[in-house]
Amino acid sequence: MFSHESEILRKMRLIEWLKAELVANVGQLYQAMAKNSEQAIKDGLANVIISCFILGRRLGINFADLDEAIITRLNQNIKRENDVEKWFGDFSEYQRHLRNKR
């Protein structure tokens, strides 16, 4: 039945599947938070991040460009003195983490 699909249709189906996977992963993360299971929360967060990167790639955004967009958003949130940054310094801490990985 699907063997005659065009390449464009296959790519569209994959993008739709990835979008659904992302929503499902967010749901799993919420369930993990409700259970208060650290390992399940880590797994859920990792799945959401992976889903975002893979979906981005299928939408034409390479991993390095997405990394740069993340760094840009971190810098913007630090400069705007976002409440999370003012109260806890989370954006700066994540920015340091990314710099140390490079």
Side-chain angles (χ1 to χ4, degrees), residues 26-38 40-41 45:
V26 170
Q28 290 170 351
L29 174 60
Y30 286 168
Q31 289 174 341
M33 290 187 297
K35 292 177 186 171
N36 198 26
S37 165
E38 183 177 345
I41 292 169
L45 288 168

Side-chain angles (χ1 to χ4, degrees), residues 37-74:
S37 165
E38 183 177 345
Q39 186 60 50
I41 292 169
K42 286 191 283 189
D43 290 344
L45 288 168
N47 286 335
V48 168
I49 292 166
I50 291 167
S51 292
C52 288
F53 272 82
I54 300 303
L55 178 59
R57 183 167 188 252
R58 291 292 98 215
L59 294 173
I61 301 167
N62 69 46
F63 298 147
D65 288 345
L66 189 51
D67 284 338
E68 286 303 315
I70 289 168
I71 291 167
T72 298
R73 294 296 297 152
L74 285 171

